[in-house]
Amino acid sequence: GQNIDQPTEMTATEGAIVQINCTYQTSGFNGLFWYQQHAGEAPTFLSYNVLDGLEEKGRFSSFLSRSKGYSYLLLKELQMKDSASYLCAVGDNTDKLIFGTGTRLQVFP
Amino acid sequence: DTGVSQNPRHKITKRGQNVTFRCDPISEHNRLYWYRQTLGQGPEFLTYFQNEAQLEKSRLLSDRFSAERPKGSFSTLEIQRTEQGDSAMYLCASSLVPDYEQYFGPGTRLTVT
């Protein structure tokens, strides 16, 4: 079966660091994606990991451990505009995306 | 590059009516995906095309749903005899093989009354 788990909600303070975890069990694996989605808007691509390790892109970093079926998204120097849902998704062996339910992050001043 | 566009953005229909949505992918993108998203959930895969060929359909896609991509450019998704459970955001995404990144459109929000 296909299962992707991530926390439903998280809160953090402006300027802080937050880590959003994602665990997955899927029948195929062609990479782990993180998308950001503001309310009422389309998901926008943040990161892609296909090999183990950390990928850094500005304030955002993403980590993958394929043996553990685990990824995290790290957001540094949080800003109010980072309040959004963060979607963890696995690309399966036909390249479609299998999404988790998303983590709603609220950033407070 | 104008991004992925979808029309209409909102559709309200009565149960039993047919609806059709359109997606225009980023030009030259050869893959086009349809997803459905309900409130508080992540998008769920419905179907995808490579050029004009429909390569996979989800088991979620009942016989009331049909999708086409006749010339390998825009795509349409039709829902026949709509039910209240069809109320959702329908998202389209496109990509260019071998790149994995999928670019999403703004979605069509369907409300079935």
Side-chain angles (χ1 to χ4, degrees):
Chain A
Q2 319 275 43
N3 196 41
I4 298 176
D5 285 320
Q6 51 181 131
T8 305
E9 290 193 8
M10 298 182 71
T11 59
T13 306
E14 198 174 13
I17 299 173
V18 71
Q19 178 174 312
I20 303 174
N21 295 323
C22 171
T23 58
Y24 64 90
Q25 286 181 306
T26 57
S27 54
F29 183 83
N30 253 346
L32 191 293
F33 297 76
W34 285 95
Y35 279 80
Q36 180 191 60
Q37 187 176 31
H38 285 99
E41 297 183 10
T44 54
F45 172 80
L46 290 178
S47 69
Y48 168 66
N49 295 67
V50 67
L51 300 176
D52 289 354
L54 188 68
E55 294 280 341
E56 297 186 79
K57 192 187 289 186
R59 294 189 298 115
F60 293 2
S61 303
S62 56
F63 172 83
L64 174 66
S65 169
R66 288 172 297 170
S67 62
K68 294 181 179 177
Y70 169 69
S71 173
Y72 68 72
L73 179 69
L74 194 71
L75 292 77
K76 303 176 186 176
E77 302 167 15
L78 280 173
Q79 302 174 9
M80 297 296 291
K81 67 178 182 180
D82 296 330
S83 293
S85 287
Y86 290 85
L87 301 166
C88 173
V90 170
D92 78 352
N93 51 8
T94 64
D95 293 332
K96 66 180 181 286
L97 295 177
I98 302 164
F99 285 89
T101 56
T103 298
R104 186 176 166 221
L105 174 66
Q106 288 188 289
V107 179
F108 293 100
Chain B
D1 180 358
T2 58
V4 179
S5 62
Q6 293 186 244
N7 287 289
R9 296 291 308 277
H10 303 273
K11 179 71 178 178
I12 300 174
T13 192
K14 292 186 178 179
R15 186 166 52 93
Q17 297 294 305
N18 299 343
V19 294
T20 300
F21 311 140
R22 176 177 169 129
C23 171
D24 287 89
I26 294 171
S27 61
E28 298 178 2
H29 274 196
N30 47 14
R31 285 231 176 131
L32 187 149
Y33 301 79
W34 285 99
Y35 294 86
R36 178 172 67 188
Q37 186 176 26
T38 54
L39 200 62
Q41 301 296 314
E44 292 177 297
F45 169 78
L46 293 178
T47 188
Y48 88 95
F49 296 82
Q50 178 147 326
N51 300 313
E52 64 274 10
Q54 188 172 19
L55 295 188
E56 187 174 347
K57 287 174 61 171
S58 165
R59 284 171 287 182
L60 294 174
L61 219 62
S62 75
D63 291 344
R64 296 183 298 106
F65 289 71
S66 62
E68 293 183 341
R69 194 183 183 198
K71 295 182 180 178
S73 57
F74 73 92
S75 175
T76 57
L77 178 68
E78 181 184 17
I79 310 175
Q80 296 182 325
R81 304 181 303 281
T82 52
E83 302 172 355
Q84 286 189 318
D86 298 332
S87 295
M89 176 75 85
Y90 289 83
L91 294 165
C92 174
S94 70
S95 68
L96 179 63
V97 177
D99 295 340
Y100 287 107
E101 182 179 343
Q102 294 183 23
Y103 295 81
F104 282 81
T108 295
R109 181 169 295 283
L110 173 66
T111 302
V112 181
T113 62

